[in-house]
Amino acid sequence: FFLISPAVAAGRAQVQQELLAETTEGTGITINCSHPNIRSSEFIYWYRQLPDRAPTFVSVAHTGSKAVQSPSGRLSVAADRRSSGLWLARPRRGDAAVYYCAPAG
């Protein structure tokens, strides 16, 4: 199944995401996001949008790595904060969605 992450521009912080990530059920996958112009005070927010649903919050981080509850996995923000990755540990078909990252203060 497919996990889609669109390239989006969030304000002045240009956010770049890979257009398509594909995996099989139960096989972990990382969705990457680049945000090179992020301000030092901004956090990285991740959302997902299931088909025919509104976007829902997944996790937020400033730097480092933290566990994500739903979907199960981990959010990691690089030490230089120029990029982040959302790792889905054991994705199921129900996790097929559009995943967004966005910096915000």
Side-chain angles (χ1 to χ4, degrees):
F1 60 92
F2 299 102
L3 304 168
I4 303 167
S5 59
V8 295
R12 67 166 208 82
Q14 294 297 312
V15 172
Q16 296 295 324
Q17 294 179 249
E18 53 206 345
L19 292 177
L20 182 65
E22 184 178 0
T23 190
T24 56
E25 191 164 10
T27 302
I29 189 172
T30 299
I31 303 170
N32 294 303
C33 178
S34 173
H35 30 77
N37 301 320
I38 189 170
R39 295 184 179 107
S40 60
S41 61
E42 288 180 311
F43 284 73
I44 304 300
Y45 291 79
W46 278 81
Y47 303 87
R48 75 171 173 172
Q49 186 171 15
L50 297 168
D52 301 319
R53 298 277 189 85
T56 57
F57 174 76
V58 173
S59 188
V60 60
H62 189 266
T63 190
S65 182
K66 64 183 292 187
V68 173
Q69 300 303 314
S70 180
S72 175
R74 224 160 167 79
L75 171 59
S76 298
V77 179
D80 65 5
R81 299 183 10 88
R82 292 176 162 269
S83 63
S84 60
L86 179 63
W87 177 64
L88 305 183
R90 292 171 300 280
R92 302 179 309 236
R93 287 194 176 274
D95 294 320
V98 179
Y99 289 81
Y100 301 92
C101 76

